[in-house]
Amino acid sequence: MTAVTFGNRLTELRLDWGTTYHVTVLDLGLACCGVEVMAALEGRGNGVDELAALGVTPVHGAPEQAHVLIVSGTVTDVMLPAVLATYAELPEPRYVLSVGACSNTGGPYWDSYCVTKGIDQVLPVHVAIPGCPPRPEALLEGLVALHKLVTA
């Protein structure tokens, strides 16, 4: 068990793939949810140390090194080909986390002609994290859910 502190809030995580499985994640921060994901993955303080202890390592600009793609924020039709190309560059096995209402369903922009109505319509989403925007702890809980899915 690992305890992670964000601000004055303590979150306990049960994640044990750090000893058996190393996870590399690539964040496609397309809108405001991307800031929350960056806070969880790159923030200074206990969170980053705890992520490393859990076996989770963010990679930057190298999709061929990541196994988990985090899509966070509004996916527009113009941006969709870049998202699909990034997903295609991930090695197998590859997993997708969809973070935030916009990535999950189009969010408040769902009725716009240029917004994808959920990334799950074009990519296989393994874990969808709700919220607008979700807190950094939600990403960690999503990683725990992915771990349970992968090891089940």
Side-chain angles (χ1 to χ4, degrees):
M1 176 176 354
T2 303
V4 180
T5 304
F6 283 97
N8 59 0
R9 191 170 165 179
L10 181 67
T11 302
E12 290 186 10
L13 299 175
R14 293 186 183 273
L15 187 62
D16 149 18
W17 63 17
T19 56
T20 59
Y21 181 19
H22 185 75
V23 178
T24 51
V25 298
L26 176 68
D27 174 35
L28 290 181
L30 303 173
C32 42
C33 287
V35 175
E36 296 298 326
V37 172
M38 284 184 266
L41 294 178
E42 304 293 336
R44 299 293 176 237
N46 292 339
V48 173
D49 298 334
E50 298 301 332
L51 280 175
L54 295 172
V56 177
T57 304
V59 297
H60 306 286
E64 63 278 355
Q65 296 176 359
H67 289 280
V68 178
L69 179 65
I70 300 175
V71 181
S72 54
T74 310
V75 181
T76 62
D77 293 342
V78 170
M79 198 62 188
L80 185 59
V83 173
L84 295 174
T86 302
Y87 176 77
E89 289 183 40
L90 267 65
E92 294 287 341
R94 54 187 169 201
Y95 305 97
V96 176
L97 266 72
S98 177
V99 179
C102 291
S103 178
N104 293 340
T105 64
Y109 314 108
W110 67 270
D111 62 347
S112 174
Y113 70 93
C114 64
V115 171
T116 303
K117 309 302 186 254
I119 196 66
D120 63 329
Q121 294 187 6
V122 292
L123 290 178
V125 173
H126 297 88
V127 176
I129 302 168
C132 185
R135 294 182 50 89
E137 298 94 335
L139 175 67
L140 299 177
E141 291 168 7
L143 289 169
V144 170
L146 179 64
H147 179 259
K148 288 178 183 176
L149 179 75
V150 169
T151 57

